[in-house]
Amino acid sequence: MEHNTLQGVIFDLDGTLLDSTGMWRQVDGRLMAHYGKEVPPDLSETVQRMSIEEFSQFFVEEFDLPVTPEQIAQQVADMVAEEYREKLQLKPHVPEILDWLDQQNIPYGVATATYGELAEAALRRLHIWERLRFLLTEQDAGTPKTQPKIFQLAAQKLHLGRRQIAVVEDSLHALEGAKNGGFFTIGIADPENAPVWKEICATATVHIHDILDMKQFF
């Protein structure tokens, strides 16, 4: 695929634009502690590929919790709400790359697995919201990022074909979903994806350590 045909960008949020993956890795442990359960050593890896709905269903069934999946989903949202609304910051060089994309008239938006309301709150606080063409969530798509549907919906928002769009992600399973949809994929390093970085490099069309490095593909 020739990268000089790229004309738009679909950004992931957590771990790509927002420095939040470390926070998310603590959520499942806090949830288990709340219900007095032991944390399995591979729990984070197990739930990483799940949507919020799948995650909530898994916790209720796997650990026999006395609540509904809907209650778990709300509990998790409550745990992270303050972080998104008041604390989480952009990753290094995000404002600079958005400035550059704006200067090049390259449109972009966000496709995220997190709660739409909280994603919007963080993006507004950090003055990114008004620059986006769209915000899409897994709830909007009805499928997790392991499937290409969310990226296909994002392409429609950009009014571009899949071969004209770069999907920028730090998550291996999301890169796999975008790759299966035929998109040009950019895997970006994050401290939390170090254990699977080799797999990300093998899966993504290209890989980078600094978000500014994506300029070379346009």
Side-chain angles (χ1 to χ4, degrees):
M1 189 184 301
E2 293 294 330
H3 61 249
N4 59 11
T5 63
L6 296 175
Q7 299 176 38
V9 185
I10 302 169
F11 284 110
D12 171 49
L13 182 63
D14 297 289
T16 299
L17 297 182
L18 207 57
D19 190 6
S20 53
T21 50
M23 175 206 70
W24 274 108
R25 280 196 171 269
Q26 297 172 14
V27 167
D28 46 19
R30 290 172 59 192
L31 197 60
M32 296 295 286
H34 178 81
Y35 290 102
K37 303 286 186 178
E38 291 289 328
V39 181
D42 60 347
L43 181 60
S44 291
E45 286 67 31
T46 300
V47 302
Q48 187 180 41
R49 301 173 67 90
M50 298 179 183
S51 67
I52 292 169
E53 289 80 8
E54 291 170 335
F55 170 94
S56 302
Q57 187 77 30
F58 170 82
F59 265 84
V60 171
E61 294 179 355
E62 183 73 12
F63 303 109
D64 193 27
L65 302 184
V67 290
T68 65
E70 292 75 18
Q71 288 171 315
I72 288 289
Q74 185 59 55
Q75 190 172 356
V76 172
D78 292 342
M79 283 183 181
V80 300
E82 182 181 1
E83 297 285 337
Y84 280 91
R85 291 187 175 126
E86 299 179 18
K87 297 181 180 180
L88 292 174
Q89 296 299 312
L90 296 172
K91 292 195 72 179
H93 302 143
V94 167
E96 292 94 324
I97 195 61
L98 298 186
D99 287 344
W100 183 83
L101 290 169
D102 289 342
Q103 291 162 8
Q104 305 301 313
N105 294 314
I106 297 171
Y108 51 87
V110 168
T112 181
T114 202
Y115 302 85
E117 177 187 354
L118 297 183
E120 179 178 343
L123 291 164
R124 285 187 182 278
R125 173 174 55 83
L126 296 164
H127 308 294
I128 303 299
W129 177 257
E130 59 276 7
R131 306 174 73 165
L132 301 176
R133 292 294 180 92
F134 62 85
L135 170 69
L136 283 172
T137 68
E138 288 183 333
Q139 289 75 31
D140 296 326
T143 59
K145 281 186 167 183
T146 50
Q147 305 299 316
K149 185 177 179 182
I150 191 170
F151 305 110
Q152 293 163 346
L153 292 174
Q156 293 174 14
K157 297 284 188 183
L158 290 173
H159 304 291
L160 295 170
R162 62 187 182 180
R163 295 184 181 278
Q164 298 172 296
I165 298 171
V167 175
V168 188
E169 280 275 359
D170 71 302
S171 164
L172 176 59
H173 74 268
L175 286 164
E176 291 169 342
K179 180 180 179 179
N180 289 339
F183 291 86
F184 184 97
T185 53
I186 301 177
I188 187 166
D190 179 79
E192 296 295 329
N193 68 14
V196 294
W197 182 243
K198 286 185 179 180
E199 291 93 328
I200 286 174
C201 294
T203 299
T205 313
V206 295
H207 56 274
I208 57 177
H209 284 82
D210 186 313
I211 201 165
L212 282 177
D213 293 339
M214 63 182 278
K215 289 196 281 187
Q216 65 189 291
F217 307 117
F218 288 82

